[in-house]
Amino acid sequence: MKLSHKDIELLQLIEKDANLSVSTLAKMLNVPEDEIQEKLDLFVKENIIVQYTALVNWSKVKEHNGVTAIIEVKVTPKRGVGFDEIAERIYKYPEVQSLYLMSGSYDLAVTVEGKSMNEVASFVSDRLSTLDSVLSTTTHFQLKKYKHDGTIFEDRDDDHRMVVTP
């Protein structure tokens, strides 16, 4: 599907803020509302827009105790299907939030969420590492999220230090 410059702008706007109304988008792009709605419907139908989501700062929710880990996975690709077959097996696990084929020292980057570090460790040792094509894994636990999908999570106060010059 060939997209126009306005189509790309529309996608960029809703990717940045999916809460923008059709009316607001139409005004921002100087396009009639019905045309915006038709484009959005087409983008959903064509799987260009896959899902509308909310970005939650879980560190602000005291009752949430989950952990996130990024797991580097080295695998042996299979002839004829490459990495796709093992990737499909991995992304079907409900703990897996994202999965990317990477260049560099490992093949797949897997983001996993669990209720505890032990739960994530069990997933890695019992399910992920035991898959036939998996050669090795390296798990990194997320300690703090500063920025995600272009959104900064830090509440930044102005710098109140005194300026000192020699």
Side-chain angles (χ1 to χ4, degrees), residues 104-146:
S105 60
Y106 57 95
D107 302 306
L108 301 173
V110 183
T111 305
V112 174
E113 290 183 1
K115 293 178 183 160
S116 67
M117 292 176 93
N118 284 338
E119 186 176 287
V120 173
S122 292
F123 168 77
V124 173
S125 63
D126 298 343
R127 293 199 221 146
L128 186 60
S129 295
T130 59
L131 294 173
D132 290 337
S133 297
V134 173
L135 300 174
S136 67
T137 64
T138 303
T139 303
H140 306 275
F141 285 95
Q142 177 182 301
L143 302 178
K144 184 175 183 178
K145 187 182 292 188
Y146 292 101

Side-chain angles (χ1 to χ4, degrees), residues 75-93:
V75 299
T76 303
K78 291 196 175 175
R79 175 165 283 186
V81 292
F83 295 97
D84 294 345
E85 183 180 288
I86 188 65
E88 184 177 350
R89 290 186 68 191
I90 294 170
Y91 71 59
K92 286 185 176 179
Y93 288 115

Side-chain angles (χ1 to χ4, degrees), residues 147-158:
K147 186 175 182 178
H148 182 81
D149 285 344
T151 301
I152 297 171
F153 279 70
E154 275 294 296
D155 288 333
R156 295 192 62 216
D157 294 330
D158 291 334

